[in-house]
Amino acid sequence: MDPVIIVGAGPVGLTLALALARQDVPCVVLDEGPGKDEPRPARTVVLHEETAALMERLTGVPLAYAGVRWAGWRSMRRKQVTAEVAFGNTEPAPLHIAQHVLTDALRAALAGERLVRIAVNSRLDTIEQEPSGVTAHTRGGTGTWWRGSYLVGCDGPRSTVRKLQDIRFPGRTAVERHAVAALRTELPWYDEALLHRTPPWRASGPSAGEITARPLPDGVWRLDWLLPPGKDLVTPELLLGRIRETLAGWAGGQTPPYELLDTGVHTVHHRLARRWRADRVFLAGDAAHLLGSLGTHGLEEGLRDADNLAWKLALAWHHGPHEALLDSYQTERRAIVAARLRAADQALPLVRGGGLRSYVPGSARGHDTLLMDGHLGRGPLGAPGTYAGSPLAPGRLEGEVPIGTAPGSAVTDVRVTAEDGTFVRLRDRFGRGALLVVLIAPGTGVWERRHWVSAGIMPRLAAAVSTLPHRAELLVAESYPGAAAHTVLLVRPDGHLVTALSGVRPADLYAAAEAAVGGPATTEAEAKADAGAGSR
């Protein structure tokens, strides 16, 4: 079967290629550039717990050493600290890393993947679709035709794939603008991130703005200044003035020594593609959505797109068309991003609008909380979405029981015993294309697997797992939050809970597994009919 064509070699496209290769799916990545990213210290990404774990699992690199996990977060208004968060076991710290470092780690991991070919200096020109595949043509010194089974556009905000498929991209332009600088200096705090609103050294009013400071390795900080509305040019003189007055304000009056490494202007747009799938063509990342106001992070959602789509494409590639499963990518991911955009659009007038509402007692503190949630990946602005309303969710199951994780949410990482008897983390089993069946069995953590693998309910559960409609791996955990002994969890390949059952219930387990993979495989005739309907 032909490889999957991925257009775009940014973090989302490279992540998708690596995730597919780990599930034995060959890919061709069409890279418009020369195959190497220019180091830009001012272009960074904040990865929260689950996304950082995904990147480390795919790259095999402990990214915490390439970035900084914040020790804490502090919100200030004028001279007053309004909120402080200390990160630890109850709230894992975000990982702040330069984007080119993340991209380099992905490229290094792909260099050893025999199933992935990266075609540099390959700019997409045309796409042709047929019921059996898709063909892409690239421009260059000599035009090249590429044949693929599916094509995924990860080619950014000005996506050629999206335009060739005539997919609308409505939304709002220049919702926010920020001046950005990366510099090496010493600040009064060491490894905490800071959000400073209406700093006292700036005049009050709409231009007072806010400043965000986020640490990077080697004493480097990324500073962002919210710019007033408008299209005023950000000159080098203006930016240097902001840097000096900010550092002097934090240092108590005198600007400390600093080394300026990189600068830029970051403009935030809010846009959402009408469709994320056109037959065998898909969109992911900035090609499908743009968000990032109020501290939210658009790249994280793009990486989650890749994680969601990879196992579905892999299943269809290996086992034939699964139209309902492939359709669920748009349904699940678009709903989550749309909810994030709605939350941001509703909050923007409150946080940025000023007027009488800004004088309501307690409103400033509430706005600071909204911003903090966006930066820290919490609440409606920042929390990872769930797939509770997914078309892959099973119907009512007689044996379903509630646990500490709601169906459709990402499962908690716990230690499990694998089928070979080794102890591993549950997250280590994600991304392999298999469903995960996890039995909660207290006491198994202190006994070797050979002592309990044939005892109690294990033989019945193993027999039930062997008959499931899709490949599944049986794991055993000594405990799981909110789950009683002998609870059985069914987990998707991307780590989201399908259901939790009370004991071994083969019929319920089978029904849930079949729903999780979109039902039976689509026949060739159904696939052709679906392709014909989608092209009209």
Side-chain angles (χ1 to χ4, degrees):
M1 191 171 176
D2 295 317
V4 173
I5 300 172
I6 298 171
V7 182
V12 175
L14 297 176
T15 295
L16 179 60
L18 199 50
L20 286 170
R22 297 292 163 81
Q23 297 174 68
D24 298 320
V25 177
C27 305
V28 172
V29 180
L30 303 182
D31 185 355
E32 188 174 319
K36 184 174 177 60
D37 287 9
E38 177 188 359
R40 290 292 310 275
R43 192 175 188 185
T44 65
V45 57
V46 177
L47 302 177
H48 296 100
E49 181 187 16
E50 292 163 14
T51 319
L54 167 66
M55 293 293 97
E56 292 188 342
R57 185 172 70 248
L58 288 175
T59 63
V61 175
L63 294 176
Y65 294 103
V68 167
R69 289 195 181 273
W70 303 337
W73 169 273
R74 183 183 305 178
S75 294
M76 295 182 64
R77 190 173 182 86
R78 301 190 188 278
K79 296 182 180 181
Q80 180 185 6
V81 176
T82 59
E84 288 186 277
V85 175
F87 297 115
N89 294 331
T90 56
E91 183 162 3
L95 173 65
H96 189 211
I97 186 171
Q99 185 168 313
H100 70 269
V101 173
L102 177 62
T103 304
D104 287 348
L106 288 164
R107 287 188 184 275
L110 283 167
E113 283 291 348
R114 60 179 178 80
L115 292 176
V116 178
R117 175 181 179 182
I118 299 181
V120 300
N121 300 314
S122 297
R123 186 174 184 180
L124 182 68
D125 188 19
T126 59
I127 297 173
E128 296 179 2
Q129 288 206 62
E130 304 168 9
S132 59
V134 58
T135 304
H137 183 262
T138 55
R139 286 184 277 178
T142 56
T144 304
W145 289 96
W146 302 89
R147 180 68 179 174
S149 54
Y150 298 95
L151 183 146
V152 186
C154 305
D155 49 343
R158 297 180 177 85
S159 171
T160 301
V161 173
R162 188 184 64 240
K163 293 171 184 175
L164 289 174
Q165 296 304 299
D166 196 24
I167 297 175
R168 293 184 58 205
F169 199 39
R172 301 170 59 193
T173 300
V175 175
E176 288 184 351
R177 278 200 317 153
H178 297 260
V180 183
L183 49 90
R184 182 176 285 109
T185 190
E186 288 188 15
L187 296 183
W189 54 93
Y190 174 60
D191 52 1
E192 290 184 342
L194 170 73
L195 171 68
H196 198 167
R197 302 194 73 202
T198 320
W201 56 85
R202 294 196 61 80
S204 61
S207 63
E210 66 191 38
I211 311 165
T212 307
R214 289 170 282 197
L216 285 162
D218 302 323
V220 176
W221 292 81
R222 169 173 166 167
L223 272 57
D224 292 58
W225 293 265
L226 177 67
L227 297 172
K231 298 182 179 179
D232 295 341
L233 184 65
V234 180
T235 63
E237 293 77 17
L238 183 147
L239 187 52
L240 286 173
R242 287 288 178 99
I243 292 172
R244 289 168 182 153
E245 74 169 4
T246 298
L247 296 182
W250 285 336
Q254 186 173 358
T255 303
Y258 69 91
E259 178 188 0
L260 184 59
L261 304 175
D262 191 21
T263 62
V265 175
H266 174 53
T267 303
V268 177
H269 308 287
H270 280 183
R271 296 192 178 276
L272 185 65
R274 292 290 191 193
R275 293 180 294 144
W276 291 25
R277 182 188 182 192
D279 303 333
R280 288 179 174 267
V281 174
F282 299 81
L283 300 177
D286 286 352
H289 51 76
L290 294 174
L291 68 161
S293 66
L294 303 178
T296 58
H297 306 285
L299 178 55
E300 265 216 324
E301 292 297 349
L303 298 176
R304 290 169 183 156
D305 294 344
D307 192 32
N308 183 288
L309 181 58
W311 72 273
K312 297 173 181 179
L313 279 178
L315 191 149
W317 194 90
H318 285 294
H319 302 289
H322 276 66
E323 295 305 312
L325 180 65
L326 295 176
D327 283 342
S328 73
Y329 164 66
Q330 172 178 306
T331 305
E332 291 181 342
R333 293 299 307 149
R334 192 178 187 278
I336 284 175
V337 176
R340 292 276 298 274
L341 284 170
R342 282 194 301 271
D345 285 341
Q346 290 166 2
L348 271 166
L350 299 174
V351 178
R352 307 288 190 224
L356 291 175
R357 283 173 295 194
S358 63
Y359 295 98
V360 176
S363 63
R365 188 173 294 274
H367 299 166
D368 291 344
T369 300
L370 274 173
L371 283 168
M372 185 170 67
D373 284 350
H375 280 281
L376 300 187
R378 305 189 306 192
L381 280 180
T386 69
Y387 303 139
S390 168
L392 304 183
R396 184 180 178 277
L397 300 172
E398 183 180 348
E400 190 168 28
V401 293
I403 59 172
T405 300
S409 300
V411 295
T412 301
D413 189 29
V414 296
R415 191 180 80 157
V416 295
T417 306
E419 292 181 341
D420 62 1
T422 59
F423 293 116
V424 297
R425 304 301 302 182
L426 179 55
R427 279 197 184 127
D428 292 341
R429 316 312 278 186
F430 299 168
R432 300 180 175 211
L435 295 169
L436 304 176
V437 178
V438 185
L439 171 67
I440 311 305
T444 51
V446 298
W447 296 99
E448 292 186 17
R449 184 176 184 273
R450 60 188 176 88
H451 293 304
W452 47 259
V453 69
S454 60
I457 64 173
M458 278 295 294
R460 287 186 60 218
L461 181 58
V465 169
S466 68
T467 65
L468 293 181
H470 183 66
R471 180 169 62 91
E473 181 180 9
L474 177 57
L475 305 167
V476 179
E478 190 161 5
S479 63
Y480 187 90
H486 297 169
T487 301
V488 175
L489 280 55
L490 181 63
V491 182
R492 298 179 1 166
D494 60 356
H496 287 256
L497 181 69
V498 179
T499 189
L501 302 172
S502 175
V504 181
R505 297 175 176 267
D508 282 353
L509 190 61
Y510 189 98
E514 188 172 56
V517 297
T522 311
T523 66
E524 184 175 351
E526 290 170 332
K528 289 180 179 179
D530 288 337
S535 63
R536 288 195 288 270

